[in-house]
Amino acid sequence: MVRLDANNILLKRTGGIEILLFVLVCSVLGTVYLLIGGVSMKGKRVSLFTIALFFLLIPLATFAAGTQEPAGPIKIGVIQPLTGPIAFDGQSAVKGAELAAKEINAAGGILGGRMIELVVEDGACVPAQSVSAAEKLITKDGVVAIAGAFCSSSTGAVMPIAKANGVPHVTGISTSPTLTEQGNEYFFRAVGTSELFAKAFAKALKEQLKINRIAYLAVNDDWGRGSTKAFSEAFASLGGVNLTTEIFGMNDTDYYTYLSKIKSLNPDGLYIVGNTANAAMITNQLRELGLTCAVFGEGAWTSDNYLNLTGTNSNGVYGVIEYLYTVDTEMNKKFVKHFQETYSGATPDKYSASLYQVIYIIAQAIDRAGSTDPAKIQQALKKTNYVGLSGPMMFSPTKNQAYGFNMYMARIENGKPVLALSAPLENPEK
Amino acid sequence: MFLQFIINGLVVGSAYALIAVGHTMIFGMMKIVNFAHGELYMLGAFFTFTFVSYILQLNYFLALAIAMVLIILFAALTERTMISKLVGKDIMTTTLITIGFSIFLQNIVQAVWGANPRSLPHPFRKEPLEIAGIFITVPRLLIIVISIVVIILLHLLIQKTKLGKAFRATFQNRDSALLAGINVKFIYTLSYSLGSFLAALAGGLLGMIYIIEPTMGALAVGKAFTIVIVAGKRSYLGAIGVGYGLGLIESLGAGYISSEYKDAFAFVILIIVLLLKPEGLFGKLRSQK
């Protein structure tokens, strides 16, 4: 992609000869234009219009001078919520991304020695703000790819912007099934969808844990609604009974009403979709209300922060997760060790892990593309075969949906998540 | 089930009432829409948290008391240096400044304490009490009781004391109060501090059962604003009634109708009231001078 931004290129390239060349080309083009203009407008004063056109030529000249690749760092945009109720999860994700960038640069960078640079923007999980962040990243920072937007609604809003500008866009967090159904070839999802989780685990719940009657409590957004819909369909097809679906607001703090209602239906299992703060409050309140059924949570249900906030209340809770720091793969052991060294002993959660992987996937794609041309990166991303923290990761041929890696369900015992079930995600387009 | 919903609604309603009544005091007295009011709710929780968990590691009640004293001082200082300068200014000015102040406080708190959600440690047992099939924990019971006590005390202060008389006089007509020799400036500072204290108290109490994080205030104040408008901008008793009423309606509505529309109830009521009685349920229509 060619960006007509003189400042951008001038700042990047400080070579004297190049600047001289640039000025020369500008002056020649400008003079030629003024001469032609002068002749045709015999005797008239050079109008403002002509001067304006002259300045318009400068960036064109820059383009002519700048066809050669700039040798500065390669910028990758990251959009995550850094403020608002899920700021903590977003910051966690950014930590993972920064660790990946640090490792890649320490190992000599990509494209034969060029460093990568992350440009992090706050999308706040608000679609409008995420869109402005994406526009800023593409037009002002000139990123070659975008990672993120966290909440499915925000990711969905960023997708058309990335597509219109021809910039590849990879999410490692948004799981709403609809995102990969839009035929947007610039969008890649490096995480399982709610549908794929549902298929993998509805069966396990029904057959291994003998859950027959289930209630749902989900956050009011694409993720919460999509997840419960997919799960309840899969569960019903196996002969299970769906009792009720309660929807709460992301900013809710009191869940007694929802939980009282669910308790009165006396379910075997409760499937909850929500992030750290919601998850912790729900867990504490459901214990206070004396709910004794099995609890399954989708979201950040095994993070350190969740465990701290819930104490003994979370014992026995199952977390349906993409990632667990105790996963036993070579890659993951290295990652956890490095993460703990970098962030004073904190264990990585699924958000850190997913953005860590996304940055690697993008960096490797740029390397394979052999260029920073976003269109070539997009082609290279399609051929991803990344060995990730929880197994191999590939993208399906038309929807760009990742598969191949393992999904987990952990049970919290004595304040620690213990691996209870795992299932590999199948290629959804097989 | 019904009683459980009522109790749930009372807990939520206590918070609404405490925040809204403070909001009404500042709004009615100083004619300032204080968009930073929710941040006092948030600061109340964070101050209490700090004294329980970091500084001194005090007993919860002692920590709450110290936090409230600090909040009152903080509010008085803000009123003297900033809010008092806004009295009589047009709505755009006050709105912009208080919104700015709210963003400032949120970000300061995020910078000092961090964005991660926390819980406020309290000394009460975690297991709920079961009374006639209703489950309630000690902190929740305490929230309902303390809120009601504080609201009664507030009512007595306003109705039965000399200071209360000065409050009411200023509330009704600032110029006449000034003519009668009431120190209106002092009443302003006092009412702003008192309003802030009520919000902070709600934060310090509810921090026990919810989770505290820097944006909690901004979210709480949206509802409080609805309550103030529905109740009538100048009726603090109305704000208390509507606060509890909304808590109950949300709880019963979500329980018996649909949880999906829980937040819609408040706004549907707001629209109906604005259509039928624009001055608010308990407001009196006053001619604009």
Side-chain angles (χ1 to χ4, degrees), chain A residues 88 225 246 254 263 288, chain B residues 116 128 135 140 210 259-260:
Chain A
F88 181 76
R225 288 170 181 276
E246 299 296 316
D254 202 295
K263 193 184 168 200
E288 287 169 13
Chain B
N116 55 336
F135 283 81
R140 282 179 179 257
Y210 300 153
S259 57
E260 286 204 50

Side-chain angles (χ1 to χ4, degrees), chain A residues 1-270:
Chain A
M1 195 184 71
V2 174
R3 234 163 286 103
L4 300 182
D5 187 341
N7 285 335
N8 218 357
I9 292 169
L10 264 182
L11 282 174
K12 271 187 202 158
R13 310 150 88 246
T14 43
I17 299 172
E18 278 154 349
I19 289 184
L20 205 71
L21 204 87
F22 160 62
V23 173
L24 204 75
V25 173
C26 273
S27 338
V28 170
L29 280 174
T31 321
V32 166
Y33 185 79
L34 278 181
L35 277 176
I36 296 166
V39 170
S40 67
M41 289 186 291
K42 249 184 279 178
K44 282 182 191 167
R45 276 196 308 162
V46 179
S47 67
L48 268 176
F49 178 66
T50 320
I51 294 171
L53 270 180
F54 174 70
F55 281 104
L56 271 178
L57 279 173
I58 294 179
L60 272 176
T62 327
F63 159 45
T67 40
Q68 188 191 330
E69 290 266 350
I74 298 166
K75 288 184 178 175
I76 299 173
V78 176
I79 305 172
Q80 292 296 326
L82 305 178
T83 54
I86 36 178
F88 181 76
D89 296 334
Q91 288 172 357
S92 207
V94 172
K95 279 185 187 166
E98 281 169 349
L99 183 66
K102 206 175 124 190
E103 286 181 7
I104 294 164
N105 288 339
I110 48 174
L111 291 181
R114 288 180 63 187
M115 299 289 114
I116 59 171
E117 182 190 330
L118 300 183
V119 187
V120 181
E121 283 293 319
D122 180 16
C125 262
V126 174
Q129 195 172 332
S130 304
V131 165
S132 353
E135 279 169 345
K136 187 236 163 203
L137 286 172
I138 294 169
T139 54
K140 182 163 174 290
D141 297 309
V143 299
V144 297
I146 289 179
F150 204 103
C151 296
S152 294
S153 329
S154 300
T155 306
V158 168
M159 284 169 61
I161 311 293
K163 188 183 178 185
N165 288 283
V167 173
H169 171 201
V170 186
T171 183
I173 295 172
S174 307
T175 55
S176 165
T178 55
L179 299 177
T180 36
E181 302 293 327
Q182 300 170 7
N184 181 336
E185 68 276 21
Y186 278 89
F187 178 70
F188 294 81
R189 182 187 350 239
V191 62
T193 64
S194 317
E195 241 163 33
L196 298 173
F197 298 160
K199 277 186 192 146
F201 287 112
K203 205 170 166 181
L205 253 65
K206 181 85 175 48
E207 284 165 12
Q208 293 182 34
L209 301 172
K210 307 271 178 265
I211 305 290
N212 286 316
R213 290 154 49 81
I214 196 161
Y216 303 88
L217 179 58
V219 62
N220 187 10
D221 65 11
D222 290 356
W223 172 49
R225 288 170 181 276
S227 253
T228 44
K229 185 169 169 276
F231 198 96
S232 55
E233 282 169 9
F235 195 70
S237 72
L238 294 165
V241 182
N242 298 308
L243 295 171
T244 178
T245 303
E246 299 296 316
I247 303 285
F248 63 85
M250 184 167 82
N251 303 323
D252 275 3
T253 47
D254 202 295
Y255 304 87
Y256 262 49
T257 301
Y258 313 119
L259 293 168
S260 309
K261 196 167 163 186
I262 288 167
K263 193 184 168 200
S264 72
L265 296 167
N266 199 18
D268 302 331
L270 170 57

Side-chain angles (χ1 to χ4, degrees), chain A residues 27 40 50 75 77 147 160 184 191 200 227 247 286 300 312 315 317 349 362 389 400 402 411 419 425 428:
Chain A
S27 338
S40 67
T50 320
K75 288 184 178 175
N184 181 336
V191 62
S227 253
I247 303 285
L286 72 88
T312 54
N315 281 339
V317 168
D349 59 16
I362 294 175
L389 304 175
N400 298 338
R411 188 168 190 271
L419 209 60
L425 283 199

Side-chain angles (χ1 to χ4, degrees), chain A residues 276-340:
Chain A
T276 307
N278 300 128
M281 282 187 275
I282 293 172
T283 307
N284 290 335
Q285 293 178 19
L286 72 88
R287 292 292 185 234
E288 287 169 13
L289 269 175
L291 229 85
T292 49
C293 66
V295 176
F296 306 91
E298 185 184 325
W301 291 70
T302 51
S303 66
D304 277 359
N305 208 32
Y306 167 79
L307 295 173
N308 284 340
L309 289 169
T310 51
T312 54
N313 284 340
S314 53
N315 281 339
V317 168
Y318 290 89
V320 182
I321 43 163
E322 295 93 329
Y323 172 77
L324 190 64
Y325 68 88
T326 52
V327 166
D328 196 20
T329 63
E330 269 322 297
M331 273 291 287
N332 187 52
K333 282 183 196 155
K334 245 169 57 189
F335 165 64
V336 173
K337 186 165 170 282
H338 201 177
F339 192 90
Q340 288 182 322

Side-chain angles (χ1 to χ4, degrees), chain B residues 144-156:
Chain B
I144 299 179
V145 175
I146 293 181
S147 306
I148 292 175
V149 170
V150 167
I151 285 167
I152 292 174
L153 287 178
L154 179 75
H155 184 68
L156 292 178

